[in-house]
């Protein structure tokens, strides 16, 4: 019953994401950018066309890039995860959990950051259903047995190092922005028109704790660390393609790019793609890797071994000749 419910929820989520992403990409209306001075005195430029009409142009651009990636990558990956999970493949379960987390993260961000548009209820439905499906999917995973389902060559320390470095990069990057914005009391031009920093709040409040928890649990060799690694690396795999796309599009459009911020993240994204590939490659779909410790000897085994040891001792005693055994006169 749970598998049927999970499959039904996954199918509904797939259709809703398809509608949301396709509308963001292909729904276009006539119009041009709108310049506006905010109550903070910021000179904001709004999109003025399409689904993201009332959003700042930079937010609308990133939204459309994200929608394209959903259509070309996230949805096919999600469909593959659904098929694999129906075959009770562990890779499918881990991948499916990561995809539910990804859709929860993205569309809760859309519901809270993107200006109100006709798809608002669709965004709410996607992140709500993804949260329910995420926990239903956990019921199909034997969490306690996960460590034995990974290859002995599983590079645990590599994953720990990557999650710690990525967490530190997000913390440093966003604090380097938040602190100056707080002191100045206003946003820079590329963020003018935003009411608050939703992306930074989600990353510092959700993604960073997830990555750090994964690193700590993997370091302690806890089973939940392997589960969280599958979730965070699936999410990270898609984001490691999305982030370079966000960086490349402004460069292509206007030749504007912040190399100081872009270079470290592009490098981390390349490493992240490699790490995600190694993780799922290490999953063993067959029998779990077993280690059977030797059983302690029982009392019966001890009693049986005593005569044998006595015979062995007697057999090693030197034999005396009759002369040597006779009494001295």
């Amino acid at each position: 019953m749970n598998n049927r419910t999970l499959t039904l929820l996954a199918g509904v989520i797939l259709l809703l994401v398809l509608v949301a992403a396709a509308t963001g990409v292909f729904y276009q209306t006539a119009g041009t950018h709108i310049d506006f001075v905010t109550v903070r005195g910021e000179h904001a430029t709004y999109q003025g066309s399409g689904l993201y009409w009332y959003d700042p142009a930079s937010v609308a651009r990133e939204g459309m890039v994200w929608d394209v990636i959903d259509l070309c990558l996230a949805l096919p990956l999600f469909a593959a995860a659904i098929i694999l999970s129906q075959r009770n493949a562990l890779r499918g379960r881990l991948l499916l959990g990561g995809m539910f987390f990804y859709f929860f993260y993205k569309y809760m961000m859309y519901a809270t950051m993107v200006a109100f548009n006709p798809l608002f209820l669709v965004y709410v439905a996607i992140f709500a259903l993804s949260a329910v499906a995420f926990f239903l999917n956990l019921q199909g995973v034997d969490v306690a047995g996960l460590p034995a389902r990974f290859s002995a060559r599983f590079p645990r320390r590599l994953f720990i190092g990557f999650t710690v470095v990525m967490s530190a990069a997000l913390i440093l990057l966003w604090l380097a922005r938040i602190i100056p914005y707080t002191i100045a009391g206003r946003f820079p031009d590329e963020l003018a028109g935003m009411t608050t920093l939703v992306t930074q709040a989600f990353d510092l409040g959700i993604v960073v704790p997830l990555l750090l928890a994964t690193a700590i649990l993997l370091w302690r060799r806890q089973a939940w660390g392997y589960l969280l690694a599958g979730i965070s690396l699936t999410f990270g795999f898609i984001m490691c393609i999305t982030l370079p796309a966000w960086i490349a599009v402004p460069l292509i459009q206007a030749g504007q790019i912040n190399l100081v911020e872009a270079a470290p993240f592009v490098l981390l994204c390349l490493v992240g793609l490699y790490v995600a590939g190694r993780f799922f490659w290490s999953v063993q779909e067959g029998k779990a890797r077993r280690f059977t410790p030797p059983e302690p000897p029982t009392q019966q085994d001890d009693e049986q071994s005593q005569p044998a040891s006595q015979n062995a001792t007697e057999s090693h005693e030197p034999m005396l000749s009759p002369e040597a055994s006779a009494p001295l006169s």
Side-chain angles (χ1 to χ4, degrees):
M1 184 65 181
N2 286 335
N3 286 336
R4 288 186 177 181
T5 304
L6 181 63
T7 303
L8 177 61
L9 284 177
V12 173
I13 292 169
L14 189 149
L15 291 176
L16 291 176
V17 172
L18 178 62
V19 170
T23 304
V25 174
F26 298 110
Y27 175 70
Q28 299 295 331
T29 60
T32 58
H33 288 176
I34 301 171
D35 294 327
F36 184 78
V37 179
T38 69
V39 294
R40 292 193 180 106
E42 303 158 349
H43 294 274
T45 300
Y46 291 87
Q47 180 69 10
S49 62
L51 180 65
Y52 304 108
W53 182 295
Y54 298 105
D55 290 291
S58 60
V59 174
R61 180 181 62 237
E62 291 183 357
M64 286 186 284
V65 170
W66 214 350
D67 291 336
V68 170
I69 290 175
D70 272 3
L71 290 175
C72 298
L73 175 64
L75 286 176
L77 199 62
F78 186 44
I82 296 173
I83 295 173
L84 289 174
S85 65
Q86 289 179 334
R87 299 175 181 175
N88 292 323
L90 180 58
R91 287 191 182 94
R93 287 289 185 178
L94 295 175
L95 185 62
L96 192 61
M99 292 305 302
F100 285 140
F101 175 78
Y102 166 75
F103 289 136
F104 170 81
Y105 171 92
K106 175 184 176 179
Y107 285 97
M108 187 165 67
M109 182 180 294
Y110 269 39
T112 55
M113 183 178 73
V114 172
F116 181 83
N117 62 45
L119 294 183
F120 174 77
L121 290 178
V122 175
Y123 301 154
V124 174
I126 293 174
F127 82 73
L129 293 176
S130 296
V132 175
F134 176 84
F135 290 104
L136 286 178
N137 183 62
L138 289 182
Q139 296 182 354
V141 180
D142 179 16
V143 178
L146 280 180
R149 299 296 299 273
F150 283 82
S151 169
R153 297 181 178 180
F154 175 71
R156 185 175 57 91
R157 293 185 178 181
L158 173 64
F159 293 96
I160 294 172
F162 174 75
T163 53
V164 171
V165 171
M166 182 60 77
S167 299
L170 286 173
I171 293 172
L172 293 176
L173 174 66
W174 293 145
L175 289 183
R177 286 192 171 192
I178 294 171
I179 293 174
Y181 299 166
T182 303
I183 295 174
R186 56 182 295 171
F187 291 145
D189 291 341
E190 63 268 20
L191 294 178
M194 297 288 294
T195 57
T196 189
L197 300 175
V198 178
T199 301
Q200 288 75 5
F202 277 42
D203 285 352
L204 294 177
I206 299 176
V207 177
V208 169
L210 173 65
L211 294 175
L212 292 178
T214 302
I216 293 171
L217 291 174
L218 280 178
W219 180 261
R220 295 178 177 177
R221 300 180 185 271
Q222 296 293 319
W224 279 92
Y226 292 84
L227 177 66
L228 293 183
I231 296 169
S232 59
L233 288 174
T234 301
F235 171 80
F237 176 79
I238 301 176
M239 295 308 298
C240 284
I241 296 175
T242 304
L243 288 173
W246 282 343
I247 294 171
V249 169
L251 177 63
I252 295 173
Q253 290 181 339
Q256 297 177 355
I257 186 170
N258 189 335
L259 293 176
V260 176
E261 292 183 358
F265 266 88
V266 171
L267 179 61
L268 283 174
C269 287
L270 294 176
V271 175
L273 294 176
Y274 170 77
V275 170
R278 285 293 303 273
F279 176 85
F280 285 100
W281 183 262
S282 299
V283 176
Q284 295 179 332
E285 293 292 353
K287 292 183 178 180
R289 179 170 53 88
R290 293 182 179 179
F291 172 74
T292 305
E295 296 181 358
T298 62
Q299 184 178 2
Q300 183 179 1
D301 294 336
D302 291 340
E303 294 176 353
Q304 293 177 354
S305 64
Q306 286 177 0
S309 61
Q310 291 176 358
N311 294 334
T313 304
E314 293 175 357
S315 64
H316 285 82
E317 291 180 353
M319 296 182 64
L320 299 177
S321 63
E323 295 81 0
S325 60
L328 295 175
S329 56

